[in-house]
Amino acid sequence: TMGEGLVYVKNIMFPDMPVKEFKRTKDDISVAFISDLHVGSKLFAKEEFGKFIDWLNLEYGNNEQKELAKKVKYLIISGDLIDGIGIYPGQDKELEIKDVYEQYNFLAEYFLNLRKDIKVIICGGNHDALRLSEPQPLISPIFAKSFYQMKNVTLVNNPAFVRIHGIFDILMYHGSCFDYYVNNIDFLRKAGSYDAVDKMMEFVLKKRHLAPTHISTLYIPDINKDPLVNYKVPDFFVTGHTHHDVKISSYKNVTLIGCSSFQYKTTYQEKLGHTNITWGKSTII
């Protein structure tokens, strides 16, 4: 309602998003989604990640598992490739590789041996050699030179809107703002906190913004266009960051995928009360 030179707001209606058209392809292909590798940490799940790469290379698993691996043509990684340096108190005691260049080089060896018909798409996260403020740029070739030399690897911003197979749109976002929402929104905390990452993803989709509260993430404003607004509705929305069990759900025909991690639980996570940390899991769609 209007007053003398004033506007009185009684209710705010958020735009939500329309129902997404459900897309299909005749090609029998699969996509693997992973996140939070944390290479360089003593707690990096090296054995599990090695088996995952071996599986993609058709060198691990039973016949049924290998048949599924043959269909994987895309590998989507939603941030935190490395553990980084100085990210949390006492991290140096849990680092096996104390140099970010060497951390990226160590990870690159895995992808150099990966099947070349698998396209790898990578965005950064809060542990990568990047500014913390969002949107985060590409991981620099200064740190990750080897990745830029691989023809089947593509690095993108965080967040990023990418299209695969000429038809499917994927919104990639590491998910750093989730810490704020778990601690400040009652219904998310009651829904299961970090175990309810799919509810957090649904929440930001409804708001049409990846960080709808100003202080929920460090942010670099742009006077021309807000890069965190969901201008387009994706087919898949994939995140990481939480290190909890894989969550897959759907909202208005958008498939929501909250990835797990390849890092065992750190002492810092224990201090923060993370009790359901999981590792060594990938999601195949």
Side-chain angles (χ1 to χ4, degrees), residues 177-186 188-189 200 203-204 209-217:
C177 74
F178 293 161
D179 297 322
Y180 175 89
Y181 294 112
V182 163
N183 291 314
N184 289 278
I185 298 183
D186 285 341
L188 290 175
R189 195 161 52 244
M200 287 186 260
F203 171 76
V204 298
H209 197 287
L210 291 173
T213 303
H214 180 63
I215 59 173
S216 61
T217 190

Side-chain angles (χ1 to χ4, degrees), residues 76-109:
I76 309 296
I77 307 177
S78 302
D80 280 1
L81 278 71
I82 63 170
D83 206 44
I85 306 291
I87 307 297
Y88 59 88
Q91 184 193 20
D92 58 312
K93 298 175 183 178
E94 297 182 332
L95 285 177
E96 186 173 293
I97 304 173
K98 298 185 179 183
D99 182 289
V100 290
Y101 299 94
E102 291 304 315
Q103 289 178 3
Y104 281 117
N105 288 338
F106 187 87
L107 176 58
E109 290 298 319

